[in-house]
Amino acid sequence: MNRYPKRDDLRAMSGYHSPQVSVKVRLNTNESPIEPPAEFVRELAAAVGAIRWNRYPDRAARDLRGAIAAMHHVSPDNVFVANGSNEVLQSVLLAYSGAGRSVATFEPTYQLHSHIARIAGATVVNGQRNADFTLSEDEVQRVLREHQPSVTFLCSPNNPTGMAEDPDIIASTIRSAPGVVVVDEAYAQFSPHTALQYVNEDSRVAVSRTFSKTWSMAAARLGYLIAPTWMIEDLEIVALPYHLDALKQVAGVIALKYLPHMERGVAEVVAERERMLREMRSMPLTVWPSQANFILFRPEALAGNAPGSGSASGAGRTVWQRLLESGVLVRDCSSWDGLANCLRVTVGTSTENDAFIAALRNALSARD
Ligand code: PMP
């Protein structure tokens, strides 16, 4: 085959994909384990018939932006909507990063921040977190001072480590950052605090959210940004015409009517998360605290290995494989920077979580 060479700067890159293996218990992508209410599905089905399918959708997505704005007590002009928060982040990076500009992240964090920034042609500067994965004020200030990033990412709660960022550090980052600060709040409903109060016309702060997690709508691919109006106007420049289809716009509006269902789901997931944490803390694992719908953990030792030999023996990968053989898929983070041997499990239904706990116990005690 006569392949045409891709861009030089993409040569070292591969796509970012979580494996979609066909297994019984899939706990690797942090979706909600709870289905949307039956009324949501009925209303959506009825709405399909009312869509004028021969026409382009409302390009400005007025109804959806209006509904999101009402929920957050902002103007629709402060809302940008796109196909998942990943596309929201891509739009921000297309508008404010690119060649000759730098983008700051604090690792380990959500890998797509760096990935999309590189695709947008920017230079990525990866600051480091403390050993317990909290943000260090000194490190944040160093990165801002030395690299003057045009976009700085915070992620609260942080994926894949699990905790919300320290609100004081969010505040000081916003005060000092020379460019746009994006606070990725994909898991906001689990968090004790938000950065939404920092969004105003005089700030350069944007908060991204998604329908993929707590709103039980990962299949729809819908996310949004709350930001100053000038930023929304800039994002309209990079958005493709009619990028958000009519069905998705309607699905978003209908979903927002079921806020109590969503909130009950969050409470259920939190209760299950705490149960999983209790179980996992009784096993030979390092388990990090979580303010999200997932838990980061690291097997310390496997049967037949001396305690503490986990890292050297690739215990993370071995446990991931053993879980998979038991029909449980979790996220293998063991090759990510700063996460040697670490795995991340999404909180599922109680049945799925039981299956995970049993499989994990077996995986930790099994001998090769
Ligand atoms: N931000 C974070 C921190 C995430 O974990 C995810 C999903 N894994 C996203 C954004 C993207 O979500 P989506 O594109 O489904 O809205």
Side-chain angles (χ1 to χ4, degrees), residues 16 29-30 83-87 89 110 113 155 157-159 184 186-187 208-213 218 221-223 294 344:
Y16 172 92
T29 40
N30 296 349
N83 295 283
S85 51
N86 284 336
E87 194 184 47
L89 303 177
Y110 184 44
H113 298 159
C155 189
N158 187 45
N159 176 16
D184 182 337
Y187 304 94
S208 64
R209 298 274 180 108
T210 179
F211 282 70
S212 299
K213 315 294 175 183
R221 309 300 298 122
L222 182 59
F294 54 84
R344 188 197 68 196

Side-chain angles (χ1 to χ4, degrees), residues 92-103 117-123 150-151:
V92 172
L93 289 164
L94 288 175
Y96 297 110
S97 74
R101 292 187 167 202
S102 66
V103 173
R118 287 194 186 97
I119 291 171
T123 303
S150 54
V151 179

Side-chain angles (χ1 to χ4, degrees), residues 58-315:
D58 175 17
R59 181 172 175 178
R62 273 176 290 241
D63 289 350
L64 177 59
R65 287 167 67 203
I68 293 169
M71 179 171 65
H72 289 299
H73 311 293
V74 296
S75 155
D77 296 336
N78 295 115
V79 182
F80 176 76
V81 280
N83 295 283
S85 51
N86 284 336
E87 194 184 47
V88 168
L89 303 177
Q90 182 185 53
S91 304
V92 172
L93 289 164
L94 288 175
Y96 297 110
S97 74
R101 292 187 167 202
S102 66
V103 173
T105 71
F106 296 92
E107 301 295 320
T109 190
Y110 184 44
Q111 291 194 321
L112 258 270
H113 298 159
S114 294
H115 184 79
I116 306 173
R118 287 194 186 97
I119 291 171
T123 303
V124 175
V125 288
N126 296 130
Q128 296 301 316
R129 288 170 185 269
N130 297 320
D132 64 358
F133 300 137
T134 55
L135 280 177
S136 140
E137 172 84 51
D138 288 350
E139 174 69 349
V140 173
Q141 294 302 324
R142 180 192 70 76
V143 168
L144 298 180
R145 202 177 46 247
E146 287 179 12
H147 300 283
Q148 298 289 310
S150 54
V151 179
T152 300
F153 277 105
L154 298 176
C155 189
S156 184
N158 187 45
N159 176 16
T161 57
M163 292 297 280
E165 309 285 31
D166 177 341
D168 289 341
I169 298 197
I170 294 179
S172 62
T173 307
I174 286 169
R175 272 196 307 276
S176 325
V180 169
V181 177
V182 177
V183 186
D184 182 337
E185 293 191 353
Y187 304 94
Q189 290 85 354
F190 297 98
S191 174
H193 55 79
T194 168
L196 279 172
Q197 74 271 21
Y198 295 113
V199 178
N200 61 61
E201 289 308 298
D202 299 322
S203 80
R204 294 162 170 171
V205 179
V207 173
S208 64
R209 298 274 180 108
T210 179
F211 282 70
S212 299
K213 315 294 175 183
T214 34
W215 288 101
S216 301
M217 266 182 46
R221 309 300 298 122
L222 182 59
Y224 62 92
L225 192 77
I226 306 292
T229 56
W230 54 265
M231 202 185 291
I232 306 298
E233 285 165 18
D234 290 345
L235 299 183
E236 300 295 349
I237 298 171
V238 299
L240 294 174
Y242 314 111
H243 68 296
L244 210 66
D245 68 74
L247 184 56
K248 181 174 317 196
Q249 293 187 27
V250 151
V253 171
I254 298 174
L256 295 182
K257 293 190 195 170
Y258 296 99
L259 183 70
H261 179 274
M262 185 278 272
E263 286 173 342
R264 271 197 306 279
V266 170
E268 277 172 41
V269 166
V270 168
E272 277 296 306
R273 180 190 73 203
E274 294 307 303
R275 180 173 77 88
M276 289 166 80
L277 281 168
R278 278 194 301 279
E279 295 276 358
M280 292 168 77
R281 285 190 179 127
S282 71
M283 301 182 202
L285 302 168
T286 298
V287 184
W288 281 273
S290 170
Q291 291 173 320
N293 66 340
F294 54 84
I295 297 168
L296 186 75
F297 64 101
R298 184 178 62 210
E300 286 315 331
L302 295 175
N305 294 332
S309 65
S311 304
S313 62

Side-chain angles (χ1 to χ4, degrees), residues 5-14:
K6 58 181 160 292
R7 277 164 39 186
D8 287 347
D9 56 343
L10 296 186
R11 287 226 174 105
M13 295 181 70
S14 50

